[in-house]
Amino acid sequence: MTQNRILEAARKLFAERGYDRTTIRAIAAEAKTDPGLVMRYFESKGKLFARVAVVDRHEPIGGRPDQVAELLLAALGAKVTEEPVGALAAIRSMFTHPEAAKDVREAMLAEQRQAADAISGDDDADLRTGLIGALTLGVVIGRYMVGLDGLRDAPPDRIVALLRAPFHSIIHGDREPEPPNADDGRRGDGER
């Protein structure tokens, strides 16, 4: 069906090029159709973008802190198992297209609020869930957009396994000891 070919072509090109560098002509060429049909089905590039560049929304987040950490790890695992093309289109476009930035922010904030509500009980639940969101976003960008060595080809279960302890530590609010003072163990100038 032509409409599905257009959606797939748009999803691919927005993810690869971003909003500004993707044209209706390019989408039509990728879909092997006429640009007029693209406009007929979707009316504008903006409406087509809104249709394909969605940030994945997952099941509601709740439960005990260990359950919240595992739900967030599962969401990350899904993103590194199968390329989140719609989310990548939104992420790539968010720097030049305000609507994409708004969509990414709203999706991340909704997930963050749910997680923060579930682990509330202290003043930094928003910070901790924001850090998890930033880690997740960084992993997705590093794997698919930047192609960081090691991360690009790593098995999804290995990525999740390596991030399990940090996710749990952040969600539980584990506090690390303060770093040693730079002057500890040293004597001042002239002291021996």
Side-chain angles (χ1 to χ4, degrees), residues 18-19 21 26 31 41 44 67-68 87-88 100 109-110 112 126 134 139 152 158 162 164 170 186 188 190:
Y19 183 85
R21 293 180 48 223
Y41 285 122
S44 70
Q67 293 169 320
V68 170
L88 288 172
L109 283 175
Q112 181 183 347
D126 286 333
V139 168
R152 176 185 55 234
R158 184 68 181 137
L162 286 171
R164 179 163 275 112
I170 292 168
R186 292 192 217 161

Side-chain angles (χ1 to χ4, degrees), residues 51-158:
R51 193 68 193 275
V52 300
V54 295
V55 178
D56 302 328
R57 287 170 173 82
H58 298 281
E59 64 187 64
I61 298 169
R64 298 182 318 270
D66 57 322
Q67 293 169 320
V68 170
E70 288 301 319
L71 286 170
L72 294 171
L73 279 165
L76 173 63
K79 288 176 177 77
V80 297
T81 298
E82 189 171 319
E83 187 172 347
V85 180
L88 288 172
I91 291 167
R92 188 175 302 279
S93 299
M94 66 187 269
F95 299 106
T96 59
H97 186 59
E99 195 62 32
K102 180 178 164 239
D103 290 345
V104 170
R105 178 174 164 70
E106 285 177 4
M108 290 187 72
L109 283 175
E111 188 171 271
Q112 181 183 347
R113 282 186 198 110
Q114 286 182 11
D117 288 346
I119 65 167
S120 65
D122 59 42
D123 294 335
D124 65 355
D126 286 333
L127 170 61
R128 291 185 284 125
T129 57
L131 288 169
I132 294 291
L135 283 170
T136 300
L137 186 61
V139 168
V140 169
I141 290 171
R143 183 173 177 89
Y144 296 112
M145 296 173 81
V146 179
L148 293 175
D149 287 346
L151 182 56
R152 176 185 55 234
D153 300 319
D157 59 335
R158 184 68 181 137

Side-chain angles (χ1 to χ4, degrees), residues 182-192:
D183 293 335
D184 285 355
R186 292 192 217 161
R187 296 179 184 242
D189 291 339
E191 291 183 26
R192 298 235 180 237

